[in-house]
Amino acid sequence: MRTPTSGDTSIETRWGSGWISGTLAFTLGLMSLGAVFCLLYPELLTSPHLREVYPMVWVRRLIHACIVLAFALGCVSMVLRPSKVLGGVGAGSALLATLLGGASVRVDGPVRSGAYIGLDWFLLDLFLMALLFVPMERLFGRLREQAILRPGWDTDLAHFLVSHVLVQALMLATMLPAMVLFDGSVGYPLQRSVAGQPYWLQLAEIVLIADLAEYWIHRAFHSAPWLWRFHAVHHSARQMDWLAGSRLHLVDVVATRAGVFLPLYALGFARAPITAYLVIVAFHAVLLHANLRWRWPWAEPWLGTPVFHHWHHADEPEAIDKNFAVHLPMLDRLFGTYYLPERWPRAYGVAGDPVPETYAGQMVWPFSRSRAPFATETPTSTR
Ligand SMILES: [Zn+2]
Ligand SMILES: [Zn+2]
């Protein structure tokens, strides 16, 4: 945790300074306000797939608890802290959420499904992942001194936000190539027999086929200089934690997901095991980047673990273009790209730090005319 180097009390973060209560109030207050807007405008701000499965009684209790906590913690922070910004925004957002109807806003009738943004998906995933990983990283962090709000956290949160609220657009872009190429062949005997297999067998096959596709797409992003510029955004994180994996250019996201979805759709896997795979990959991707010191030597050659993927991000010559798989390191062992020494990497990122730090800068940079420092270098020499 940072300590102020001057007398500026607005950056005081020690226990008792009102920073922890203020940050929690700020986060919970804005999230509660967002959740109340989801109740007010469900057709515009929520995903129909998630609406199908929400246990609304518990969702409303959770929103209510967040509003109360944000208000209380905001008041605590304003008492403890000379700067009232964090506490004020937290308590103020909680108050506004209550004035708008709070957790008891009624949702009347069936909700129409048209174009929407996934604000509920952003809030829910952020809440669950932060609730799980922030305490784990505090207790079992490899780098315990690394702050939760480390450099670049705001850029990564912007990536997290955009990739969640654009869930519908990204889903359509992901599915489009498979639909165009294979829609005419749906229902063939091969696909019927694939979909007729036991659920667990389909799930195992999906993991293997998806990771095989992901391996080669990922390797292509490292091999072709024009593709590497998009993927370099992901590798530009200098510090690894649960949020760092969100740092992905949208071209990288769509191309990779669409490429992985192609064989799954062509082979005709059933919807339920594909959904289960999406849940697994969403959680696993966060775990792989987390700042956790856990090692599982018995599992490391077979299953993707944090240390395996941390070496993929390492800024060390021997680790360049290694560990492309997500779930199954055996693919890297099979194709000669496996690298897993005993120790952890010393540094992460792209050599020379060519990628801009802001979200907008990272989105535009791969398209920019300025080719430096990649103009004279191959991807393998730039990481
Ligand atoms: Zn990579
Ligand atoms: Zn990564």
Side-chain angles (χ1 to χ4, degrees), residues 96-335:
L96 183 57
T98 307
L99 289 172
L100 289 170
S104 48
V105 169
R106 282 181 52 188
V107 179
D108 294 321
V111 178
R112 186 179 55 87
S113 285
Y116 65 89
I117 63 166
L119 181 60
D120 61 333
W121 171 224
F122 165 71
L123 294 171
L124 184 70
D125 202 25
L126 182 64
F127 184 82
L128 291 177
M129 291 300 121
L131 190 69
L132 188 63
F133 281 97
V134 170
M136 280 206 304
E137 290 188 344
R138 289 297 92 195
L139 291 169
F140 310 109
R142 183 175 84 81
L143 302 170
R144 295 278 298 276
E145 69 281 7
Q146 182 173 298
I148 299 168
L149 303 185
R150 39 76 187 170
W153 73 269
D154 46 352
T155 299
D156 293 349
L157 186 62
H159 281 281
F160 190 92
L161 172 74
V162 173
S163 65
H164 282 71
V165 296
L166 292 186
V167 59
Q168 187 184 32
L170 292 174
M171 211 154 52
L172 289 173
T174 296
M175 292 165 71
L176 193 65
M179 305 277 229
V180 169
L181 288 170
F182 298 111
D183 222 20
S185 59
V186 170
Y188 279 16
L190 169 71
Q191 294 165 323
R192 282 204 299 274
S193 61
V194 167
Q197 297 174 105
Y199 178 97
W200 62 268
L201 186 57
Q202 287 191 64
L203 184 57
E205 289 167 356
I206 288 169
V207 170
L208 177 63
I209 293 165
D211 216 24
L212 194 59
E214 171 113 22
Y215 176 94
W216 286 107
I217 295 166
H218 191 177
R219 199 161 162 173
F221 267 102
H222 278 248
S223 305
W226 67 276
L227 281 176
W228 167 248
R229 287 178 69 85
F230 292 101
H231 189 57
V233 169
H234 182 61
H235 281 271
S236 67
R238 306 292 304 190
Q239 291 173 305
M240 296 285 275
D241 67 7
W242 66 278
L243 194 55
S246 310
R247 183 179 289 223
L248 280 162
H249 196 284
L250 289 175
V251 168
D252 192 348
V253 171
V254 171
T256 303
R257 286 185 193 173
V260 168
F261 189 63
L262 268 176
L264 302 183
Y265 187 82
L267 288 167
F269 285 103
R271 187 177 163 181
I274 288 185
T275 304
Y277 169 71
L278 293 177
V279 173
I280 291 171
V281 78
F283 175 79
H284 196 197
V286 177
L287 175 70
L288 289 178
H289 297 88
N291 173 25
L292 292 170
R293 64 170 179 265
W294 292 330
R295 297 287 302 256
W296 300 285
W298 54 273
E300 282 168 3
W302 308 101
L303 290 173
T305 55
V307 69
F308 170 76
H309 194 67
H310 277 226
W311 273 108
H312 179 67
H313 282 260
D315 186 15
E316 298 187 31
E318 60 273 32
I320 286 174
D321 295 340
K322 298 291 192 300
N323 300 359
F324 291 112
V326 175
H327 311 292
L328 305 171
M330 70 175 182
L331 296 177
D332 283 285
R333 292 161 70 197
L334 190 64
F335 299 125

Side-chain angles (χ1 to χ4, degrees), residues 12-13 65 242 245 253 342 367:
E12 176 73 83
T13 61
W242 66 278
V253 171
E342 280 294 303
F367 300 105

